[in-house]
Amino acid sequence: MQEHRTQGGPDSADPIIEARNVCVTYDLEHRDAMVLDDVSIDLRRGEILGVVGESGSGKSMLANAMMDAVEEPGITTGEVTYYPEDGGEPVDVLDLPTEELKEFRWEEVSMVFQGALSSFNPTMSIRGHFEETLAAHDYDVEAGMERARQLLGDLYLDPDRVLDSYAHELSGGMSQRALIALSLVLEPQVLLMDEPTAALDLLMQRSILSLLADIKAKYDLTILFITHDLPLVAGLADRLAILYAFELAEVGTATQIAHDSKHPYTRALLQAVPNLDAPTDSMRPIEGTAPNPAHVPDGCHYAPRCPLATRECHEETPPWVDVEDDHRSACFHSDEAEDAVPFDLSEVSDA
Amino acid sequence: MSDRATTTGTTRDDDDIVMSLENVSVDFEKEQGVVESLFDEPETVQAVSDVSIDIPENDVLALVGESGCGKTTLGKTIIGVQRPTEGTVAYRGQDVWDAKDGRGDVTVPFDDIRRSLQMIHQDPGAALNPNRKVLTTLEAPLKKWDPEMSTEDRRARIFALLDRVGMEPPEDYAHRFPHQLSGGEQQRIALVRALLMNPDVILADEAVSALDVSLRVETMNLLLELQEQFNTSFVFISHNLSNARYLAQEAGGRIGIMYLGEIVEIGPPDEVLNDPQHPYTKVLRWATADLDPTAQEMTDPPVRSIDIPDPVNPPSGCRFHTRCPEAREACTTTAPELGEEAATASERCAACHRTDPDHEYWESEPLDGVEAAESPTLND
Ligand code: SF4
Ligand code: SF4
């Protein structure tokens, strides 16, 4: 990959998963079928990282690539390294043999998707799912079920009632919480969540997020939370990574991104989000439409919509710039973003 | 917005009212398994419970609530798609279901009513026939309602509207199939189809929640422009308070908060949202994330239970009392009322005992899990 892409690098002191130059493509010959383009990012031990992108930005690909779960005929390249606790041998995730990958996926890193109903087998009780998962991984079922009850309780569910139910007998919010409990029953270190609350009502979404914050603290988890909904995750996440059209645009702490974004796309996105406190006339749509994977522009993928785009932007991949400590932006004109796309959070909140 | 705010501020002539619902309830039989249906009486769910509301001309009503609160059923009842179990629904003074059944003196034929009340669905893709070109889909209703119209006129009208919603060149879009359109574009086709009928009211059910964040404001702006231009009223249904607020605020309309089949608070968006009086509205505000991470503490949910009770057996008294952070004994026995004036009023109304400083509520014991009792304050 180009030399300059590694400036303003993602390196962090204690990563639990390190993704380097990860690409997902459906056709190695042609750049055109690229659905994740040269993404390098660390998931740091103990953090909640929010990955924000609109539909078709490649955000689900990123989660899938991190556990080598991209479906055929997609091809994942680059490196994904998992660092177990207590300095164990680093694991090269993209190189794991099938059996070990299966273990890795539940016992080290587990994943929760949107829509629990399709994740549960309709003919098996919730208890059945817990028992089957524990047995399949050679865990002690009795101790495991004790943990299951605990986890269900942590998620404000009545363990007896839920364990005896089938998924379709539970409300959407209940089955999604049961699925989160199931994903944690083998005591993984990392939870990857892909729009885990998107199908639910806002009140249930926020409630689940606040429960996640508690669970994360209680079980020492690291969480990657993928969503299209920036405000939803802003309060939960320690750091935010913004994806646009298959590449990372900006990475920083939640506060840096919300208050001091240095990327024209992030700023436009912040402006576009309908929120409760902003004066309605301060909300502005983003002009133009996102590219589809068959027609990703050369250079910066945002260039066709960006008010700051120069010739350079249309021709070359923008460099990563360290705009602040621990805050990087992939943009040729990071220092002009603020003036070009005005957005002042302090005006917007509690107006 | 300001000139319209004044119209909503004064009492309206009855002539201005397009739809009027009085004491409307809608019951559904709950779906049962085969075995259950052999032995048990079917259970009924009251999806909408005793709601009275008027929809004036050129107005926006945004209905907000959790799934199962009855907002979609109420919306469909407003546009005459859902027959109420009790109460009346009138279109410009004509009872909609009398017109349908040919009861009494029908002054407005049912077909005219149907045409004046249109709907755009949550999933526009599913609402469009995948095997039909856009043009064919759009021509069908015009052919049905106005068979005299020449092909030329019909197309001119369709192209003009496509152009109006930003689908240029319209000839090009007209000859596409739905799968050749983006989600946002499909949504616009659905909107054009509704507008072709020159409707008085359009029901938009979760019309923007499925769109990407960056498209929402754009789509809502389009709705607002069209509403203005075509003098159409919108009933906008959403679980998202921010979207509802945007539309209702910009249009000078109302927001109605629903819980288990009832409207619990209704009024202008700035009053309802900036100074909510109903505890449930406050809870929904908590659920609406602030963009500013520093302003957003991950506090525990301010409800005593995060799950909605079974609508088959709604709680006694105030239906929110099983979850309400302020509930007291009095709430379990007496149901608070929204008030007669809520159907039309331009002022906010809330159905909660706390709005009445003399209510016995203040003397009764807090329920389990409710924090210490305090005394009435009018601004609470
Ligand atoms: S690199 Fe250029 S086109 Fe891309 S975001 Fe920055 S200014 Fe805009
Ligand atoms: S009437 Fe009682 S239970 Fe109902 S909202 Fe008011 S305080 Fe809560």
Side-chain angles (χ1 to χ4, degrees):
Chain A
M1 297 295 140
Q2 290 112 317
E3 185 62 20
H4 60 242
R5 291 291 279 183
T6 48
Q7 275 174 27
D11 295 334
S12 35
D14 187 14
I16 188 160
I17 297 181
E18 196 178 78
R20 287 296 174 275
N21 310 110
V22 172
C23 299
V24 176
T25 175
Y26 285 94
D27 184 348
L28 277 182
E29 302 288 307
H30 302 281
R31 225 186 131 256
D32 280 357
M34 192 81 97
V35 288
L36 196 63
D37 193 358
D38 195 14
V39 168
S40 296
I41 193 161
D42 284 351
L43 181 60
R44 298 174 181 167
R45 202 178 303 278
E47 79 169 341
I48 300 182
L49 174 65
V51 174
V52 177
E54 299 186 71
S55 55
S57 62
K59 58 188 191 302
S60 302
M61 281 299 158
L62 177 59
N64 284 307
M66 279 191 164
M67 13 188 351
D68 199 15
V70 173
E71 279 179 29
E72 302 273 346
I75 303 158
T76 313
T77 57
E79 275 173 55
V80 176
T81 315
Y82 172 73
Y83 297 92
E85 230 177 350
D86 313 323
E89 210 37 43
V91 179
D92 181 348
V93 178
L94 299 183
D95 243 13
L96 280 179
T98 317
E99 261 317 295
E100 286 173 45
L101 187 64
K102 241 167 134 185
E103 271 173 36
F104 172 78
R105 277 192 202 154
W106 278 89
E107 297 170 25
E108 304 293 335
V109 178
S110 97
M111 189 149 178
V112 179
F113 299 93
Q114 177 181 351
L117 267 189
S118 52
S119 303
F120 284 116
N121 173 349
T123 62
M124 191 191 273
S125 69
I126 302 293
R127 182 189 309 282
H129 285 88
F130 277 92
E131 289 175 350
E132 190 188 65
T133 305
L134 288 162
H137 289 261
D138 295 325
Y139 276 54
D140 181 319
V141 174
E142 206 172 310
M145 287 312 287
E146 205 28 64
R147 209 157 48 236
R149 309 174 77 83
Q150 180 89 50
L151 282 161
L152 290 167
D154 291 336
L155 286 156
Y156 288 15
L157 291 167
D158 172 354
D160 290 316
R161 190 185 146 208
V162 168
L163 287 171
D164 288 337
S165 304
Y166 292 84
H168 66 90
E169 296 172 329
L170 301 173
S171 72
M174 289 177 148
S175 54
Q176 196 64 28
R177 272 135 70 208
L179 186 64
I180 295 172
L182 179 63
S183 73
L184 292 173
V185 76
L186 300 183
E187 300 176 283
Q189 302 292 313
V190 180
L191 193 55
L192 302 183
M193 314 191 88
D194 186 7
E195 297 274 18
T197 63
L200 305 173
D201 287 312
L202 279 188
L203 178 51
M204 184 54 72
Q205 295 197 23
R206 285 285 285 169
S207 301
I208 290 183
L209 258 69
S210 96
L211 297 178
L212 271 180
D214 296 345
I215 284 193
K216 184 226 156 212
K218 182 167 171 187
Y219 298 96
D220 266 336
L221 286 169
T222 304
I223 297 179
L224 180 82
F225 192 103
I226 295 178
T227 180
H228 70 284
D229 192 339
L230 200 161
L232 178 74
V233 75
L236 176 74
D238 300 301
R239 291 195 303 147
L240 291 174
I242 311 291
L243 268 177
Y244 178 76
F246 324 113
E247 58 184 9
L248 271 180
E250 191 172 15
V251 183
T253 65
T255 315
Q256 285 166 339
I257 298 287
H259 283 266
D260 279 313
S261 162
K262 295 288 193 293
H263 195 283
Y265 170 66
T266 311
R267 299 185 68 86
L269 185 65
L270 287 162
Q271 253 185 4
V273 180
N275 79 337
L276 267 190
D277 297 308
T280 41
D281 58 9
S282 73
M283 298 172 205
R284 245 167 247 114
I286 308 180
E287 300 293 329
T289 49
N292 77 40
H295 303 283
V296 173
D298 288 336
C300 172
H301 293 181
Y302 188 54
R305 303 172 81 181
C306 181
L308 276 175
T310 53
R311 218 191 58 208
E312 208 173 14
C313 303
H314 288 282
E315 288 168 2
E316 285 170 52
T317 305
W320 278 109
V321 182
D322 278 318
V323 288
E324 271 177 283
D325 195 23
D326 216 16
H327 178 188
R328 59 194 172 108
S329 162
C331 174
F332 283 110
H333 307 293
S334 292
D335 46 356
E336 294 159 55
E338 237 160 306
D339 290 335
V341 191
F343 174 79
D344 185 349
L345 191 61
S346 55
E347 269 174 29
V348 162
S349 7
D350 48 67
Chain B
M1 181 189 143
S2 51
D3 52 324
R4 264 200 287 184
T6 51
T7 10
T8 33
T10 54
T11 338
R12 289 167 188 276
D13 280 331
D14 275 358
D15 293 354
D16 288 345
I17 306 288
V18 186
M19 297 305 299
S20 183
L21 274 65
E22 260 179 70
N23 304 105
V24 161
S25 297
V26 183
D27 297 345
F28 290 123
E29 278 184 11
K30 204 180 163 183
E31 277 181 46
Q32 289 182 305
V34 181
V35 182
E36 289 167 333
S37 64
L38 287 178
F39 301 105
D40 301 333
E41 282 288 302
E43 294 179 298
T44 49
V45 181
Q46 199 166 49
V48 174
S49 177
D50 196 17
V51 169
S52 298
I53 189 142
D54 288 348
I55 309 292
E57 273 178 2
N58 205 349
D59 190 52
V60 167
L61 170 68
L63 293 172
V64 186
E66 291 167 279
S67 44
C69 72
K71 56 191 190 296
T72 296
T73 308
L74 179 58
K76 287 184 174 168
T77 312
I78 293 175
I79 61 156
V81 169
Q82 174 66 49
R83 192 189 276 263
T85 320
E86 275 168 65
T88 57
V89 181
Y91 169 80
R92 297 193 187 279
Q94 166 67 50
D95 186 293
V96 173
W97 297 97
D98 281 354
K100 162 92 181 166
D101 302 338
R103 246 193 323 264
D105 257 351
V106 175
T107 51
V108 192
F110 185 69
D111 277 356
D112 288 358
I113 299 179
R114 277 294 25 233
R115 197 178 356 168
S116 306
L117 308 172
Q118 294 286 327
M119 163 160 190
I120 48 177
H121 290 267
Q122 174 169 16
D123 178 1
L128 298 174
N129 184 331
N131 303 315
R132 278 191 182 182
K133 283 186 181 165
V134 165
L135 184 62
T136 321
T137 295
L138 294 178
E139 277 186 320
L142 279 181
K143 281 184 185 164
K144 181 173 169 206
W145 296 113
D146 196 350
E148 307 289 288
M149 195 187 258
S150 72
T151 309
E152 230 167 63
D153 286 352
R154 208 160 45 225
R155 301 210 166 164
R157 177 121 172 245
I158 290 169
F159 291 160
L161 261 177
L162 284 172
D163 197 75
R164 180 65 203 75
V165 300
M167 302 185 80
E168 297 161 286
E171 293 82 358
D172 172 32
Y173 279 101
H175 288 97
R176 294 202 199 172
F177 288 97
H179 71 97
Q180 295 167 313
L181 302 170
S182 71
E185 287 166 348
Q186 291 176 351
Q187 189 64 275
R188 287 178 205 204
I189 296 297
L191 190 56
V192 167
R193 185 168 60 179
L195 285 168
L196 278 171
M197 299 289 102
N198 270 333
D200 289 323
V201 182
I202 294 180
L203 171 67
D205 189 358
E206 296 284 8
V208 300
S209 343
L211 300 175
D212 263 318
V213 172
S214 67
L215 282 178
R216 287 186 197 163
V217 171
E218 190 182 342
T219 307
M220 291 193 283
N221 284 344
L222 179 67
L223 288 179
L224 288 163
E225 281 168 32
L226 295 171
Q227 188 239 332
E228 185 101 320
Q229 191 182 338
F230 290 84
N231 278 337
T232 306
S233 292
F234 273 94
V235 177
F236 180 80
I237 291 175
S238 181
H239 71 281
N240 183 316
L241 217 48
S242 309
N243 295 343
R245 172 215 178 214
Y246 187 86
L247 267 183
Q249 182 114 326
E250 291 286 288
R254 289 172 294 170
I255 279 194
I257 309 286
M258 288 190 73
Y259 186 72
L260 284 180
E262 300 175 332
I263 294 180
V264 296
E265 185 160 7
I266 186 165
D270 48 347
E271 281 180 58
V272 171
L273 297 177
N274 295 342
D275 176 29
Q277 305 244 305
H278 199 283
Y280 183 61
T281 312
K282 292 183 195 172
V283 171
L284 288 185
R285 267 218 66 131
W286 172 87
T288 307
D290 197 304
L291 249 187
D292 185 356
T294 48
Q296 255 199 59
E297 270 176 78
M298 294 312 290
T299 49
D300 286 341
V303 270
R304 290 169 24 254
S305 153
I306 62 176
D307 293 299
I308 307 173
D310 184 357
V312 173
N313 294 307
S316 62
C318 174
R319 293 186 172 185
F320 190 47
H321 86 248
T322 54
R323 302 168 77 196
C324 180
E326 314 278 5
R328 301 189 186 185
E329 281 303 330
C331 307
T332 64
T333 50
T334 35
E337 300 207 355
L338 191 58
E340 297 275 311
E341 60 295 354
T344 42
S346 51
E347 268 151 50
R348 172 254 307 284
C349 302
C352 170
H353 298 320
R354 295 170 63 84
T355 57
D356 174 4
D358 301 321
H359 198 273
E360 60 166 314
Y361 166 91
W362 299 105
E363 306 303 323
S364 79
E365 280 299 304
L367 297 185
D368 272 358
V370 175
E371 283 181 19
E374 87 279 41
S375 333
T377 47
L378 274 176
N379 317 322
D380 191 349

